[in-house]
Amino acid sequence: MNWEFLLTTLVMVASPGTGAIYTLAAGLSGGAKASVVAAFGCALGIVPHMIAAISGVAALFHASDLAFQALKFAGVAYLLFMAWSMMRTRGALGIGENGSARHSGGVIGRAILINFLNPKLSIFFLAFLPQFVGADEPAPITRMLLLSLVFMAATFVVFATYGIFASALRRYVLTSLTIQRWMQRGFAGAFGLLALQLALTNR
């Protein structure tokens, strides 16, 4: 495995983004299990982008401004929905002892959507992976599949680490309603800013 690829992957995955913020929120609201489930969901959300890049669909997607804009604003709408949900008294990731965020189905579903509705991932896979597939590679598809799986594994490990660390702080959060409200507002603001950033993204 190319060390340059591994280093670049680590930098990309470790950089703050929607998936990382969602996993942190899951860890704070639902504990270690919820954070691991969220990290797994974020990794699964990469699969459609991986398939698109390998099959060449991403190239067509990149060439189509309409397709890019449609997916981009679907992602913006979903991030704004997450921000709005977080601000509700019992939001999508309501912090509490019996928070519904700990239900695996809901956590993993939201995590998959967050990454699936991120058009930057398709562009990233289209521009990034081919650089590490040599022109003389005998099995380029197999090579891209392997690189994609490594990227997914790195995403899961890094995000789960973030979430488990956040879950360690959960007991302190649960002792103060003031902290809970500020955490909800902070995550809502983060999702709102990410929605704005995505809305301003050009191909």
Side-chain angles (χ1 to χ4, degrees):
M1 185 62 63
N2 189 306
W3 282 103
E4 185 180 0
F5 169 79
L6 293 175
L7 180 61
T8 306
T9 293
L10 184 60
V11 171
M12 290 295 301
V13 170
S15 300
T18 54
I21 291 175
Y22 180 78
T23 307
L24 284 170
L28 282 170
S29 61
K33 178 182 176 181
S35 66
V36 171
V37 171
F40 182 67
C42 287
L44 286 182
I46 295 173
V47 172
H49 301 286
M50 174 187 72
I51 295 174
I54 292 176
S55 64
V57 174
L60 296 176
F61 168 81
H62 183 56
S64 172
D65 184 67
L66 179 61
F68 178 85
Q69 294 296 330
L71 185 59
K72 182 179 80 170
F73 284 107
V76 169
Y78 188 70
L79 287 174
L80 290 176
F81 167 75
M82 291 295 294
W84 172 77
S85 296
M86 186 65 71
M87 285 301 295
R88 292 185 302 170
T89 304
R90 299 179 61 85
L93 283 171
I95 298 174
E97 292 287 357
N98 299 309
S100 61
R102 287 178 293 177
H103 293 300
S104 298
V107 174
I108 201 169
R110 293 186 183 98
I112 290 174
L113 277 175
I114 280 176
N115 268 357
F116 174 69
L117 293 175
N118 186 356
K120 292 189 292 184
L121 272 176
S122 280
I123 305 304
F124 169 76
F125 269 73
L126 177 66
F128 179 64
L129 288 188
Q131 297 180 38
F132 299 95
V133 180
D136 56 348
E137 175 65 45
I141 293 180
T142 301
R143 175 69 174 175
M144 286 190 69
L145 179 60
L146 176 61
L147 294 175
S148 299
L149 292 176
V150 170
F151 185 88
M152 289 175 61
T155 297
F156 173 75
V157 171
V158 172
F159 284 13
T161 300
Y162 283 165
I164 291 173
F165 175 77
S167 70
L169 304 175
R170 185 170 181 263
R171 60 176 177 170
Y172 300 106
V173 174
L174 290 175
T175 61
S176 172
L177 289 175
T178 301
I179 293 177
Q180 291 178 37
R181 291 304 300 165
W182 277 108
M183 290 299 300
Q184 286 184 301
R185 291 168 184 166
F187 281 118
F191 280 122
L193 287 174
L194 288 167
L196 178 62
Q197 181 186 49
L198 181 58
L200 298 176
T201 297
N202 295 315
R203 292 186 300 155

